Amino acid sequence: MRTTFNRAAGIVLLSAVTMITGCSKSDNPVTDAVSQLSSESRPKRYEIKSGIVHFEPMNVMGVSTTTETLYFDDYGRKEAKETVTETNVMGMKTYEHRMDITDGDYALSYELKKTLNGKDETSKEATKTDMRQMREMALMMSKAIDVNELKKNFDYREEGTEEIAGVTGRKYSVALNKEQPDARVFGVMYKNIVLKSEMGDISMRASKIEENAAVPASKFEVPAGYTIKEVNFAEEMEKSGMGETEE
């Protein structure tokens, strides 16, 4: 369940990066963007109605390989990430094939297949997280954010353009630690879709993008035979320690 919470929280962080790299005439575009996300009429996330983005296998320290495919429809209001991870650590071989879906007010996550040294350990339980609480929290936090100050603190830089998967995207970089300005995270965005993210030796890069593709509706649904477990976002925050306050 903690993994589900971390994935859901990651959506807010990724959204923040997208907003930092974007442009707005508002005094506080972060607040405006989150306000829109909190309303019934959700804005377009991407500039393409539907698509499929295939990413190159990502190798981590020679022990783990992850391959990801992104599916989206309705300009990103529906999104699904299909991930296959294979790990071999000291003879322990794991294989995990999973789906993570955001659709409307909810995030869904489930395993399609999971094995340990060939033994099937697939869970037939899908978790469902209500994203409305997360949006309310993001809205409160965003009211105190000055996007120009945020760019300054992260030393945000426009880095020109770069061709990825046959298209030309906008390249940018940020420093996660302003005491180490050369240790930067680089990204490339095309029509608001992140096609590349790179930090040191770790890199995720798109190999192919299918614009306005016909995405099967099944990619945004939990298969038959799964039970769905509701996840309370506020409770998970408290368990993780993020909801604690000092007296």
Side-chain angles (χ1 to χ4, degrees), residues 19 45 171 190:
M19 287 184 285
R45 292 185 60 198
K171 187 175 182 180
Y190 171 73

Side-chain angles (χ1 to χ4, degrees), residues 21 41 55 60 68 73 89 104-105 107 116 123 140 172 187 192 201 205 219 221 231 236:
T21 59
S41 57
F55 289 87
V60 180
E68 183 177 291
D73 203 351
V89 180
D105 293 324
L116 175 60
S123 168
M140 289 188 292
Y172 59 90
N192 285 347
D201 295 332
R205 179 189 178 101
K219 291 297 182 182
E221 301 170 351
V231 175
E236 289 304 307

Side-chain angles (χ1 to χ4, degrees), residues 64-120:
S64 177
T65 301
T66 298
T67 304
E68 183 177 291
T69 305
L70 172 69
Y71 305 88
F72 65 90
D73 203 351
D74 195 17
Y75 298 96
R77 296 182 180 98
K78 291 183 178 181
E79 184 176 87
K81 290 183 180 180
E82 184 171 6
T83 309
V84 175
T85 302
E86 298 181 76
T87 304
N88 188 343
V89 180
M90 300 180 67
M92 297 288 287
K93 297 181 180 180
T94 60
Y95 174 93
E96 184 177 20
H97 183 185
R98 68 177 305 109
M99 294 292 294
D100 294 285
I101 302 166
T102 54
D103 185 358
D105 293 324
Y106 298 94
L108 295 159
S109 181
Y110 64 91
E111 296 171 353
L112 283 166
K113 185 176 182 180
K114 183 177 181 179
T115 63
L116 175 60
N117 287 337
K119 181 182 177 182
D120 190 357

